[in-house]
């Protein structure tokens, strides 16, 4: 029999009190094995926002950011898996040989292998253009919306956990270097592991929470 691959993404991830995640929000080719990773990251992204809102911290702006952050990711996943499916299903002896040669040459390059790995594992995702992350104060290094990097043992400086589940760090020189920025720096890491804000002054972190959780 003939198997037809469907590629679709819902227009709205949120409609009032209803939210769609995983296969309910987007379906695509199984090429690359990205369905599980995408669905789990949907859940990580939405879960802490629902929790904050239920506990009276946050509201529509925070909940709407689920659509803003995850819809573009789903669209990119569909585009990537569609390309993989097209490559895997080419017809004709010459076309197949050219595809195999091109893939062999491309995957022999370390940067290509790394890029494919990050795409398939979804470890390179960032939300830099999200409406709920803070502004960028350093021209290089980790930016708000990026996944928080691992830090050297004991290099975090002062560390606290906010009521919303964020981790707040005051970076020492070693930790700031791991972020590719200069100290002093203060970081708010969201419950899903992404950087919400990086500020040179702790008042900036306070302002970030006030805006994020609807207190201003």
């Amino acid at each position: 029999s003939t198997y037809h691959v469907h590629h679709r993404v819902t227009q709205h991830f949120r409609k009032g009190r209803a939210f769609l995640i995983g296969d309910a929000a987007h379906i695509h080719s199984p090429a690359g094995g990205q369905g599980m990773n995408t669905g789990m990251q949907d859940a990580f992204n939405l879960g802490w926002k629902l929790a904050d809102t239920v506990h009276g911290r946050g509201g529509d702006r925070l909940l709407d950011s689920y659509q803003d952050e995850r819809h573009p990711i789903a669209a990119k996943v569909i585009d990537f898996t569609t390309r993989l499916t097209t490559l895997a299903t080419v017809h004709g002896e010459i076309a197949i040989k050219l595809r195999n040669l091109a893939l062999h040459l491309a995957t022999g390059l370390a940067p290509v292998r790394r890029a494919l790995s990050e795409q398939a594992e979804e470890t390179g995702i960032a939300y830099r253009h999200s409406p709920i992350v803070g502004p960028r104060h350093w021209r290089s290094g980790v930016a708000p919306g990026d996944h928080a990097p691992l830090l050297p043992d004991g290099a975090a400086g002062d560390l606290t956990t906010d009521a919303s589940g964020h981790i707040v760090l005051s970076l020492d020189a070693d930790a700031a270097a791991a972020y590719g920025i200069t100290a002093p720096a203060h970081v708010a890491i969201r419950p899903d592991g992404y950087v919400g804000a990086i500020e040179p002054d702790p008042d900036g972190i306070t302002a970030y929470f006030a805006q994020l959780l609807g207190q201003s």
Side-chain angles (χ1 to χ4, degrees):
S1 63
T2 301
Y3 172 69
H4 297 282
V5 177
H6 296 279
H7 305 85
R8 295 173 184 163
V9 59
T10 184
Q11 184 176 357
H12 301 289
F13 278 37
R14 177 197 180 195
K15 196 75 171 180
R17 296 169 60 89
F19 296 83
L20 299 178
I21 69 172
D23 290 349
H26 38 75
I27 57 173
H28 50 79
S29 166
Q34 291 192 258
M36 181 183 70
N37 286 344
T38 308
M40 290 173 67
Q41 291 217 31
D42 286 348
F44 293 152
N45 187 283
L46 178 60
W48 69 273
K49 297 172 182 179
L50 285 174
D52 274 341
T53 303
V54 167
H55 288 91
R57 301 181 297 267
D60 282 337
R61 182 172 179 272
L62 183 62
L63 295 176
D64 284 343
S65 70
Y66 170 60
Q67 161 87 19
D68 297 325
E69 293 182 346
R70 294 304 300 169
H71 190 278
I73 301 300
K76 289 180 181 179
V77 168
I78 289 175
D79 180 65
F80 178 66
T81 57
T82 299
R83 291 173 185 270
L84 288 181
T85 302
T86 300
L87 281 174
T89 56
V90 295
H91 298 286
E93 183 178 352
I94 295 177
I96 292 173
K97 287 183 177 180
L98 288 175
R99 177 203 62 194
N100 292 346
L101 177 61
L103 288 175
H104 176 73
L105 293 175
T107 55
L109 302 174
V112 174
R113 290 199 304 272
R114 183 166 57 251
L116 289 174
S117 176
E118 289 180 351
Q119 175 71 43
E121 297 171 5
E122 300 190 30
T123 55
I125 288 174
Y127 305 125
R128 290 188 177 186
H129 301 293
S130 168
I132 64 165
V133 302
R136 185 169 191 173
H137 298 288
W138 286 265
R139 292 185 178 181
S140 60
V142 175
D146 291 349
H147 197 276
L150 295 175
L151 296 177
D153 290 341
D158 294 334
L159 183 153
T160 59
T161 302
D162 182 83
S164 65
H166 283 65
I167 294 174
V168 181
L169 307 173
S170 296
L171 303 185
D172 59 21
D174 290 338
Y179 272 72
I181 60 178
T182 56
H186 306 270
V187 181
I189 301 175
R190 305 179 346 176
D192 58 359
Y194 288 84
V195 176
I198 308 177
E199 295 287 338
D201 188 278
D203 289 343
I205 298 297
T206 301
Y208 161 75
F209 281 117
Q211 184 179 43
L212 176 72
L213 302 178
Q215 299 167 11
S216 67

